[in-house]
Amino acid sequence: MPLEIGELVYVMLLFFIVALLYAAVGFGGGSSYLALLTLLLTSFFVIRSTALLCNLMVVSGSCYLFYRKGHLKIKKFLPFILASVPMAFLGASFRLKEHIFFIILGISLIIAALALVIQTLNLKSKYNTVTYPLYLPYILGAGIGFLSGLVGIGGGIFLAPILNQMKWDKPITIAALASFFILVNSISGISGLVTGGTFELFWPEIIGLLAAVLIGGQLGVRLSLSRISAKGIRLLTALLVLFVGVRVLLDNGLQINFL
């Protein structure tokens, strides 16, 4: 559905704000891109494809900056990645019915928002990390990877609250892992969509959206790395995720009663 110039500028502004907020806490923004796109588009193939591509744009810059600052510890992150990539590909290749897709998405976003609130309220500037069995990252990576591919988001918004609650590592390291996790799983998810014949974009609007999230993401990750009070940003992000999750369920999930 082509957008008028005024509509496109408005949507670009929203995508810019979402990218800025999410990148500031180590995420890509895929959950909110999905929710915003459901208000504009009817094809959830286009919605999933666009959200993953915007995710990829945001976290590519984030990963580069985290790497330069020494927070991107590839060897430590590898178990999550090895388990999640094939599962994200598998999840993205599923052809879900539209109302099932939106129900899963809405419930996932609400759970993620609540987890992010709990994580933020319990987050302390200093705490001792906990050592876990070597197999645990593989289990978490596989499960979250499959879910991320299924609903079209990178999965970092599910992974980071869990790891922070577990005190797996320092918050900045977990934020770097979340960005890298989103990066590889967005690539894997896009590959799954292409393989399944469901990768679709709307042109030329996608160019403006990608530019908006690139700029917003770059500003957001710099806020994160400069240690500007992230607690308020996290809570604001959680409220945004909660709102879009409820909105998705109200707009789509409740329709199942009338099908």
Side-chain angles (χ1 to χ4, degrees):
M1 180 181 68
L3 299 178
E4 300 290 339
I5 295 297
E7 291 177 323
L8 178 58
V9 171
Y10 178 67
V11 174
M12 286 173 59
L13 178 61
L14 291 177
F15 270 52
F16 167 83
I17 294 171
V18 167
L20 188 150
L21 289 175
Y22 277 68
V25 292
F27 305 147
S31 54
S32 289
Y33 304 141
L34 283 168
L36 291 171
L37 290 169
T38 58
L39 304 177
L40 301 170
L41 306 172
T42 55
S43 169
F44 72 98
F45 294 148
V46 177
I47 292 171
R48 279 206 298 179
S49 302
T50 303
L52 280 172
L53 202 55
C54 287
N55 248 357
L56 187 58
M57 181 65 72
V58 173
V59 296
S60 294
S62 299
C63 286
Y64 173 71
L65 289 176
F66 279 129
Y67 175 77
R68 286 186 57 188
K69 295 289 184 177
H71 300 301
L72 203 63
K73 302 174 182 179
I74 303 295
K75 185 176 180 180
K76 189 169 186 177
F77 298 170
L78 200 57
F80 294 97
I81 306 307
L82 291 177
S84 67
V85 168
M87 296 304 290
F89 179 90
L90 179 63
S93 64
F94 271 66
R95 284 178 171 266
L96 293 176
K97 291 184 178 180
E98 186 170 350
H99 66 280
I100 297 296
F101 165 76
F102 283 116
I103 290 172
I104 294 175
L105 173 62
I107 293 173
S108 300
L109 294 182
I110 291 171
I111 293 173
L114 295 177
L116 187 56
V117 169
I118 294 171
Q119 168 216 318
T120 302
L121 295 178
N122 292 335
L123 200 60
K124 299 178 181 179
S125 57
K126 292 183 179 180
Y127 59 79
N128 296 322
T129 58
V130 179
T131 301
Y132 290 93
L134 296 177
Y135 61 80
L136 189 62
Y138 293 96
I139 295 175
L140 286 175
I144 296 174
F146 179 78
L147 178 61
S148 68
L150 196 65
V151 299
I153 58 180
I157 199 169
F158 302 123
L159 182 64
I162 294 173
L163 293 182
N164 275 302
Q165 192 67 28
M166 292 168 55
K167 300 180 181 179
W168 178 78
D169 209 311
K170 295 182 295 183
I172 192 66
T173 302
I174 293 174
L177 168 58
S179 290
F180 191 58
F181 189 86
I182 293 167
L183 175 71
V184 296
N185 284 298
S186 293
I187 294 173
S188 181
I190 290 172
S191 301
L193 294 179
V194 171
T195 302
T198 59
F199 183 73
E200 300 177 13
L201 298 174
F202 65 123
W203 297 92
E205 289 88 349
I206 186 63
I207 298 174
L209 297 182
L210 291 177
V213 298
L214 174 63
I215 298 170
Q218 287 295 296
L219 291 176
V221 74
R222 282 170 171 78
L223 287 178
S224 174
L225 292 173
S226 64
R227 308 289 179 91
I228 292 177
S229 177
K231 189 170 184 178
I233 296 176
R234 287 178 180 273
L235 290 175
L236 181 59
T237 303
L239 289 175
L240 177 61
V241 175
L242 180 62
F243 171 77
V244 297
V246 172
R247 179 66 182 269
V248 166
L249 280 183
L250 290 176
D251 288 351
N252 299 279
L254 295 183
Q255 293 178 10
I256 192 170
N257 295 324
F258 303 99
L259 295 178

